[in-house]
Amino acid sequence: MKKITILIISLTIIFLSSCATSRKQLTREEWLVMTSHTFKNTTVNDVLITAEKVLRLSDSDKDVKIYHLPNKMVGTRYYFIYAVLAAASGHYNFDVTAVQKGPDVEAQLLIGNTEQAIMPMMTQTPGVQGGWHGAGATVTTSPVAIGTPEDHPELYRLFFSRMESLFYKKDWLTCEKVREDIYEKGGSTSVYSALCLNADDNKPISSK
């Protein structure tokens, strides 16, 4: 029984960490291209409000928290994964900065992942809230701390595409659609985890 338990946890670790596979690091130029997008004939306020809408559509209010600064929006999407005898939790952070450039706005987006270690099945001690093994441990993090930056161009393209969909009434790309497309090309669907992992994946009412 002990060997089976260890095997299950090991397989879970492999599954949950599959996106951490070693990849070629992006150059500075590639980072700047990936994280930047220009929106025509709009304002900083409209860009940040639209970025917020993208996040709120991705998941329920209880899993998405939004924070605003004059030229910045910071959003956090929490997730929890449960597998047999193991669990993992964490949150994805979305940092959007907008700068007015004449009639247009240049947006800078950085997405990061703060992941908690995989732990054995949670046990609750009476009278202790949120306890792992009855320890009552809680986790607090700053919403501005980006965590480990996501370096998947496909993820950033999806976020900006959804913003453009709201701005210009373009087709809305669902998680199901982008996952199917990348799977057919032999890629990994995990690149979209920040927006799609355990997400509600709602569509705007007016989208196709």
Side-chain angles (χ1 to χ4, degrees), residues 79 100 137 172 193:
Y79 66 87
Q100 194 77 45
W172 182 267
S193 292

Side-chain angles (χ1 to χ4, degrees), residues 6-18 83 86 118-119:
I6 294 173
L7 175 61
I8 292 172
I9 294 176
S10 298
L11 290 174
T12 304
I13 292 173
I14 292 172
F15 171 76
L16 294 175
S17 62
S18 61
I118 296 171
M119 294 168 276

Side-chain angles (χ1 to χ4, degrees), residues 6-105:
I6 294 173
L7 175 61
I8 292 172
I9 294 176
S10 298
L11 290 174
T12 304
I13 292 173
I14 292 172
F15 171 76
L16 294 175
S17 62
S18 61
C19 60
T21 305
S22 178
R23 298 165 55 241
K24 178 184 175 182
Q25 291 192 14
L26 300 178
T27 65
R28 171 176 169 77
E29 290 73 20
E30 288 170 332
W31 270 104
L32 293 177
V33 169
M34 177 180 70
T35 58
S36 303
H37 193 83
T38 299
F39 294 93
K40 301 291 186 180
N41 300 311
T42 188
T43 65
V44 166
N45 191 60
D46 285 344
V47 166
L48 297 179
I49 288 175
T50 301
E52 176 182 351
K53 288 179 180 177
V54 169
L55 275 182
R56 291 200 182 281
L57 283 167
S58 72
D59 221 337
S60 62
D61 284 344
K62 69 181 179 63
D63 292 324
V64 174
K65 304 298 180 185
I66 303 294
Y67 309 85
H68 283 284
L69 295 170
N71 285 355
K72 182 189 292 288
M73 182 222 73
V74 178
T76 301
R77 188 176 82 82
Y78 297 88
Y79 66 87
F80 179 81
I81 303 171
Y82 176 79
V84 179
L85 299 180
S89 65
H91 54 272
Y92 291 102
N93 298 309
F94 299 78
D95 188 307
V96 183
T97 302
V99 178
Q100 194 77 45
K101 297 289 183 73
D104 307 327
V105 173

